[in-house]
Amino acid sequence: QVQLVESGGGLVQAGGSLRLSCVASGRTFSSYTMAWFRQAPGKDREFVAAIRWTGDSTYYADSVKGRFTISREYAKNTVYLQMNNLKPEDTAVYYCATDWVVSTTGPYNYWGQGTQVTVSS
């Protein structure tokens, strides 16, 4: 089993920044991909960003390119999502996910509990 725990969400004004963290534990594999998704009220969950656990390949949704950066720290089994120039439309619950996937948008079998990000205008 794989456990994922997110943290770092909160309330921020438009234009501000937040950094989300996701710590993985349990049965983790070096070939897994780590990803961030988000779900706003009344909307479907959407892909935000992903990083291959090995190598430096990163992937982003068009809506966050140039503003968000995904990174990982091997020694801590942790993935980060640095979010800059936040907009009210970024308000959502952000989820961390991991699995061995071909497509970085999924499907993923392992999910965290989510962390709320609220951006005020």
Side-chain angles (χ1 to χ4, degrees):
Q1 276 288 26
V2 177
Q3 293 81 41
L4 301 172
V5 178
E6 304 100 331
S7 62
L11 173 64
V12 64
Q13 288 187 331
S17 299
L18 283 174
R19 189 178 79 157
L20 306 183
S21 300
C22 173
V23 180
S25 61
R27 188 186 182 193
T28 57
F29 296 95
S30 61
S31 58
Y32 275 24
T33 295
M34 300 290 292
W36 288 95
F37 287 75
R38 66 186 181 186
Q39 187 167 21
K43 295 188 177 181
D44 292 334
R45 186 167 56 194
E46 65 174 357
F47 170 80
V48 175
I51 185 167
R52 299 294 188 185
W53 198 246
T54 55
D56 295 325
S57 296
T58 57
Y59 308 83
Y60 297 95
D62 288 343
S63 58
V64 306
K65 279 181 183 176
R67 301 188 298 121
F68 290 11
T69 303
I70 188 171
S71 61
R72 77 287 191 246
E73 190 170 353
Y74 289 125
K76 294 184 178 181
N77 270 351
T78 299
V79 173
Y80 304 100
L81 185 68
Q82 177 66 45
M83 305 185 295
N84 298 328
N85 190 22
L86 283 160
K87 304 175 181 181
E89 51 264 42
D90 294 318
T91 295
V93 177
Y94 283 71
Y95 297 92
C96 178
T98 190
D99 210 331
W100 185 90
V101 294
V102 174
S103 169
T104 54
T105 57
Y108 293 86
N109 286 310
Y110 303 106
W111 294 85
Q113 81 289 350
T115 185
Q116 176 70 47
V117 171
T118 303
V119 184
S120 63
S121 57

